[in-house]
Amino acid sequence: MKTVSMRLLPVFATGLGLAAMAALVAYFGAGAVLNSLFAVGIGGFAGVCAIHLVLIAVMGLAWHALLPGQRPWALMWGRLARDSGSEALPLSQVGGYVLGARAATLAGVPGTLAAASTIVDVTLEFVAQIAYTGLGLAWLVHLQPGHPATQPILVGLVVAVGAAGAFLLVQRHALQYVDRIAGVLGLGWAERTAAGAAAVHDALAAIYKNRTGLLWNFALHFVCWVASAIEAWLVLTLAGVPIRFGAVLALESLLYAIRTAAFVVPNAVGVQEGAYVLLGAGFGLTPEIALALSLLKRARDLVIGLPSIGLWQLFEGGRLLRRLRRDAAEAGAVAVAVQAGERRRAG
């Protein structure tokens, strides 16, 4: 009963989020929101999608820094699948991690390395996000010293630092607990034996010995977090709402901090929209512009994510078909051998 309730929780949270999103758009006026979206234009939307694809590629390179012996495109593809699963499907963030590791494995990365490196990559990206949130909070204090969100964000930042530190310690000094972490991230499809678990431990230890790779991973993730604010800045500029990049950076960093805190809601549906309306008001954004920015990001995720997931399904389907054909051929060979044996005995 408890398991069923846990499985239904994301569905229930998504339903509430969609209802909240619809209510916000209806309350502030669907027409005004649409007008703000149209002001960005097709060219502006294409520019946002292009910037996002570049950032995904760089984040794939950050993942590759942990596994320098693997092909860069395999990890770029894995990162694209990870983000597509998290943002375009009603999955939790963990579901996206599993999808990304699986995609990397199908592209030739060993399952053990894909699982272990996913754990490290997700951890360092979270650490980079903490640094990004700290930068945004500093900008917020600089721009608006008395902003009411300053204190709760600061408390959340302290908690996040503690959580990241604990997670790093578990990975480095308590590898016996990594089995559970790897299981959550989908190791079950990669390695199921005790030897496989030991291989993940060894892979984690090897990754953490690569100090240069760890630094590059963190640095690239931090750059991507900061550069992601360019998308929002471009949208607001095209919509006729010129805001300084520093203010947009502060807004975006606080928004993603709230999204991370609301991880139980798939895709932060409703949470992102409400956060944009509440935080945007402090930076001079009208609710209509704030909602348009959020909905445009949703559209970006669907335009990039759905074709990527379709391509991943095509790869998975091809792999399954090849396996079925191989099994059928092996079964046929066994049947022929059995029949031949029976004929010999009969003769």
Side-chain angles (χ1 to χ4, degrees):
M1 186 69 180
K2 184 177 179 180
T3 303
V4 174
S5 300
M6 290 300 292
R7 289 178 179 175
L8 289 178
L9 180 60
V11 178
F12 180 69
T14 300
L16 284 180
L18 288 172
M21 184 192 304
L24 285 170
V25 173
Y27 181 80
F28 292 110
V33 174
L34 287 174
N35 287 336
S36 299
L37 284 172
F38 291 147
V40 177
I42 297 297
F45 179 66
V48 168
C49 291
I51 293 171
H52 198 67
L53 283 171
V54 170
L55 293 179
I56 289 175
V58 176
M59 287 186 285
L61 291 176
W63 190 359
H64 176 260
L66 303 177
L67 301 174
Q70 302 300 316
R71 290 171 291 187
W73 70 264
L75 295 163
M76 291 182 188
W77 162 242
R79 180 66 203 216
L80 178 60
R82 181 199 298 182
D83 286 3
S84 297
S86 298
E87 302 297 342
L89 293 178
L91 299 174
S92 65
Q93 289 292 319
V94 172
Y97 303 155
V98 173
L99 192 63
R102 176 64 175 172
T105 300
L106 290 178
V109 179
T112 298
L113 290 180
S117 61
T118 294
I119 295 172
V120 180
D121 186 60
V122 168
T123 303
L124 292 178
E125 183 176 8
F126 180 54
V127 174
Q129 184 185 0
I130 292 173
Y132 175 54
T133 303
L135 178 62
L137 185 60
W139 269 107
L140 180 64
V141 172
H142 171 69
L143 296 172
Q144 302 177 33
H147 197 286
T150 300
Q151 189 169 3
I153 294 294
L154 180 59
V155 172
L157 198 60
V158 172
V159 173
V161 169
F167 197 39
L168 283 168
L169 285 174
V170 166
Q171 292 176 52
R172 292 300 310 279
H173 303 295
L175 290 179
Q176 64 269 30
Y177 297 111
V178 171
D179 291 341
R180 299 179 183 178
I181 299 170
V184 170
L185 290 177
L187 181 58
W189 54 258
E191 302 286 353
R192 298 179 182 275
T193 65
V200 174
H201 296 172
D202 293 341
L204 276 170
I207 289 171
Y208 275 112
K209 287 180 181 177
N210 179 13
R211 299 297 177 84
T212 301
L214 297 176
L215 289 173
W216 270 111
N217 182 279
F218 170 81
L220 289 174
H221 276 307
F222 181 73
V223 168
C224 286
W225 277 117
V226 174
S228 67
I230 295 175
E231 297 179 47
W233 175 83
L234 176 62
V235 170
L236 294 174
T237 300
L238 293 175
V241 186
I243 295 181
R244 288 186 298 173
F245 181 75
V248 177
L249 186 148
L251 171 62
E252 289 290 297
S253 65
L254 300 183
L255 168 78
Y256 279 101
I258 293 173
R259 277 191 52 132
T260 301
F263 65 90
V264 71
V265 183
N267 309 340
V269 177
V271 175
Q272 176 174 295
E273 286 67 30
Y276 261 128
V277 170
L278 292 175
L279 294 174
F283 293 92
L285 299 185
T286 64
E288 298 82 11
I289 290 291
L291 287 172
L293 175 57
S294 180
L295 293 177
L296 189 140
K297 283 189 173 185
R298 300 282 186 199
R300 174 207 66 195
D301 293 337
L302 291 176
V303 166
I304 293 175
L306 292 180
S308 302
I309 293 168
L311 189 58
W312 173 77
Q313 285 280 31
L314 187 64
F315 291 154
E316 282 280 6
R319 178 179 176 276
L320 178 60
L321 182 60
R322 288 191 297 273
R323 189 174 68 181
L324 290 175
R325 287 176 176 173
R326 184 176 63 251
D327 292 345
E330 291 175 355
V334 170
V336 169
V338 170
Q339 291 175 0
E342 291 177 349
R343 282 197 297 269
R344 284 195 298 270
R345 286 194 296 272

